[in-house]
């Protein structure tokens, strides 16, 4: 894997985050939440810094990062698309919506388009089951999405 | 506080939020100001009304008018017509689907008639970001009563007598849990609120935290007083940003009012609450896993005993209750154990909040007394099945529950009945399915979830569920045999008996209950390689009926893989080996010649 050069200012920010939690190893999950907020994802390099700051092994950090679905080691696209696969959305046809996103963007779930614009992910229930099936682009929620509405959603961001 | 003549309550729950309720709120506020009504009309954002299907909702008090699917563009009409001239805006009222009559007062809507709201008492009534509104509805009165007039043991006795059981799924008696934790000797103890609602299709806890965060805070302080704890922790999903915000605001206000801190209500009792964030792991709903996650570890469960009430967070006695359980506590203290125990069935007291979703007309959040039947919930409150289709099954308890069928419709819902029927209460998700849903696929869907969410610590769950999923996958692809079904059953029971925690012990439920209740459907997948609802793509065959085919070539031209052959004006045939079953031919045929076999 290529080594990613992280910007010094962001690393400084990360160290300050660790410090704000007193470099306490019990605060690892809170630190990871903040770190993902800073970098957008949690590459190995970030995990190494956190391990050093909190005085725990990198394996421990990696174990936690990979355990929780909220944390990702891959960078997301500029517009992260998440399709809810909760049961309510599933029975109302979320699978067909995923297929359509996959077809139009030409990526699989968990991947990012080559231009870095869109990444595709599934998530489990945002709790807006009344609007099923639900799609999130960034923080914006789209409700009652039908497969033929997918291209319009993508068009909104494709510019 | 100013005295307003009229209140406009706008739903600010996640569902309505996603349908522009925020912009609606600002429009309403601006128009009220514009008309100079600021001193007479108050516009506030409340928590969820529960009727998510028809959101965004606007309710006008005191006349209880209930407007549905209101858009920002409707704001002016509501103010000018209803608020100023006193004429209801008919087109925005709820229409009774049976007789097409407009219903203005929400009390008369089928959706609300059967409900009793205890845990949701304030959702949709108060501004969750204003502590004064909570206080005006008897908020923090129960806390004051406990701290000044009662001993911890007296409070525990009330909780025991009320019969309240844990609403997170397990159904353990709450009073008893408090008593055990109170008797554990330690310098430090913890009260933990489990707000890690990981069950897909459930949004009860989120709605309570968004609509009435103070009721949870109040109950946590009372619990702390009873068990002798000064530290409260809320473990909440990071995926619920709105709930986190509201909870933070509420905690801040409670500190300001002296309800949290070193000297709660001037009684010398110290209690404070901190938040801990979940990061998306279903297994963290299990209390030992949750505690490990709060300690910054992988959320893997450990053997019980020791129970958290003896050794929990960092080895200290910890009382873990779910959001909805806590929301019931202040009311029980205020109205008494006897009142609470008078609602519900013999062994399940009070009410239960359900998130009703799936193929049902009225998707939303409901609260009904224990003992209400599934029929009442689905047909009277839920308004029946969407698009007039036939009811097939209802899944309760999420991935740990089972599918119940028509024969269970008149079952009174309570903890014990649901378990007897092969399902469980769970946290309260209720997903309705219709004739278009294939039960084998549904079982596979849930297993996919469990396989992904299994923490991997014990082999029955890690390996067993994976095997279950593989067999189900085989069935949906038409490669299943009769032996496979026996294997599903045997393996399912082994996993239930041997898995370490609640996740594994319940994960085969969707499979076992669908095999029991939909035996014929499983047999069809095996013997006839047929999926009656047409969901298992591999089992479908698109065929052209020579009687109806006119040879227009539309199907052949639209087939993406050129699987259709035929001359112009001649009969067309689909080559089954090339066909990818996309259904394009069926869509394009204007002569109903293409059908699914």
């Amino acid at each position: 894997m290529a080594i990613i050069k992280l910007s010094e200012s962001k690393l400084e920010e990360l160290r300050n985050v660790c410090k704000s939690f007193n470099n306490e190893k019990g605060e690892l999950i809170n630190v990871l939440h903040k770190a993902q907020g800073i970098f957008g994802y949690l590459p190995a390099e970030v995990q190494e810094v956190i391990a050093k700051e909190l005085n725990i092994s990198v394996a421990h950090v990696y174990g936690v990062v990979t355990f929780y679905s909220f944390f990702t080691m891959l960078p997301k696209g500029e517009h992260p698309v998440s399709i809810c696969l909760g049961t309510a959305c599933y029975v109302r046809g979320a699978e067909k919506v995923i297929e359509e996103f996959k077809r139009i963007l030409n990526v699989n779930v968990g991947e990012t388009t080559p231009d870095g614009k869109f990444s595709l992910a599934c998530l489990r229930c945002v709790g807006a089951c009344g609007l099923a099936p639900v799609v999130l682009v960034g923080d914006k929620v789209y409700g009652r999405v039908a497969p033929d509405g997918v291209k319009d959603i993508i068009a909104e961001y494709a510019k | 506080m100013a005295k307003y003549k009229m209140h406009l309550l706008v739903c600010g729950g996640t569902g309505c939020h996603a349908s522009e309720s925020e912009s609606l709120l600002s429009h309403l506020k601006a128009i009220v100001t514009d008309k100079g009504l600021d001193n007479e009309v108050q516009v506030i954002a409340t928590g969820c009304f529960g009727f998510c299907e028809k959101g965004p909702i606007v309710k006008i008090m005191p006349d209880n008018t209930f407007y549905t699917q209101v858009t920002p563009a409707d704001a002016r009409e509501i103010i000018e017509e209803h608020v100023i001239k006193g004429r209801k805006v008919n087109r925005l009222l709820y229409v009774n689907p049976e007789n097409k009559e407009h219903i203005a007062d929400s009390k008369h809507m089928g959706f609300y008639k059967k409900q009793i709201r205890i845990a949701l008492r304030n959702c949709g009534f108060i501004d969750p970001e204003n502590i004064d509104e909570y206080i005006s509805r008897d908020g923090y009165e129960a806390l004051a009563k406990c701290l000044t007039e009662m001993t911890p043991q007296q409070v525990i006795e009330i909780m025991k007598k009320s019969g309240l059981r844990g609403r997170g799924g397990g159904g353990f008696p709450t009073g008893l849990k408090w008593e055990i934790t109170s008797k554990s000797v330690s310098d430090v103890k913890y009260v933990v609120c489990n707000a890690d609602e990981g069950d897909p299709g459930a949004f009860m806890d989120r709605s309570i935290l968004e609509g009435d965060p103070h009721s949870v805070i109040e109950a946590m302080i009372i619990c702390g007083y009873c068990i002798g704890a000064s530290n409260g922790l809320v473990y909440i999903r990071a995926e619920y940003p709105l709930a986190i915000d509201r909870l933070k605001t509420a905690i801040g206000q409670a500190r300001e009012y002296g309800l949290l801190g070193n000297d709660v209500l001037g009684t010398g009792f110290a209690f404070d609450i901190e938040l801990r964030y979940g990061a998306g792991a279903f297994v963290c709903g299990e209390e030992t896993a949750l505690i490990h996650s709060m300690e910054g570890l992988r959320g893997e469960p450990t053997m019980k005993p020791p129970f958290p009430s003896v050794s929990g967070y960092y080895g200290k006695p910890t009382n873990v209750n779910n959001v909805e359980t806590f929301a019931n506590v202040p009311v029980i203290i205020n109205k008494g154990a006897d009142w609470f125990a008078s609602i519900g069935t013999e062994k399940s007291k009070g009410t239960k909040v359900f998130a009703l979703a799936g193929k049902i007309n009225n998707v939303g959040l409901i609260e009904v007394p224990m003992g209400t039947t599934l029929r009442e919930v689905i047909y009277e409150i839920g308004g029946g099945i969407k698009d007039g289709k036939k009811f097939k099954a209802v899944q309760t308890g999420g991935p740990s529950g089972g599918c119940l069928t028509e024969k269970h419709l008149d079952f009174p819902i309570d903890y014990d009945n649901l378990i007897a029927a092969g399902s469980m209460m769970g946290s309260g998700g209720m997903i309705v399915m219709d004739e278009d849903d294939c039960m084998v696929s549904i079982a596979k869907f849930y297993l996919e979830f469990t396989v992904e969410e299994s923490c991997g610590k014990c082999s029955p769950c890690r390996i067993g569920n994976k095997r279950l999923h593989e067999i189900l996958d085989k069935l949906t692809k038409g490669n299943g045999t009769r032996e496979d079904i026996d294997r599903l059953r045997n393996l399912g029971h082994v996993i239930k008996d041997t898995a370490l925690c609640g996740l594994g012990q319940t994960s085969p439920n969707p499979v076992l209950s669908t095999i029991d209740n939909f035996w014929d459907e499983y047999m069809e997948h095996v013997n006839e390689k047929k999926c009656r609802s047409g969901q298992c793509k591999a089992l479908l065959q698109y065929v052209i009926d020579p009687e109806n085919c006119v040879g227009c070539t539309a199907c052949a031209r639209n087939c993406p893989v050129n699987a259709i052959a035929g001359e112009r004006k001649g009969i067309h045939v689909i080559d089954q080996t090339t066909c990818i079953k996309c259904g394009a031919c069926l869509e394009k045929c204007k002569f109903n010649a293409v059908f699914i076999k």
Side-chain angles (χ1 to χ4, degrees), chain A residues 51-111:
Chain A
K52 202 170 155 217
E53 292 296 311
L54 304 188
N55 198 20
I56 45 181
S57 70
V58 184
H60 180 139
V61 179
Y62 178 78
V64 171
V65 168
T66 50
F67 186 83
Y68 296 97
S69 62
F70 195 82
F71 299 132
T72 169
M73 288 180 61
L74 295 170
K76 285 190 176 163
E78 193 185 328
H79 305 292
V81 178
S82 314
I83 297 141
C84 180
L85 253 193
T87 321
C89 290
Y90 174 80
V91 301
R92 283 200 182 178
E95 267 196 323
K96 288 185 185 136
V97 176
I98 295 179
E99 289 306 316
E100 191 64 9
F101 270 107
K102 275 162 66 176
R103 195 183 66 81
I104 297 181
L105 296 176
N106 200 18
V107 288
N108 276 318
V109 173
E111 293 177 356

Side-chain angles (χ1 to χ4, degrees), chain B residues 543-557 564-574 585 588-595:
Chain B
V543 187
I544 296 175
D545 180 3
E547 297 274 306
N548 288 347
C549 181
V550 296
C552 71
T553 73
C555 57
R557 275 183 282 119
I564 307 179
E567 294 288 311
R568 193 171 179 81
K569 297 203 174 159
I571 293 164
H572 283 57
V573 183
I574 301 174
C585 49
K588 294 292 170 193
C589 180
K590 290 181 186 149
F591 305 94
N592 290 327
V594 182
F595 65 99

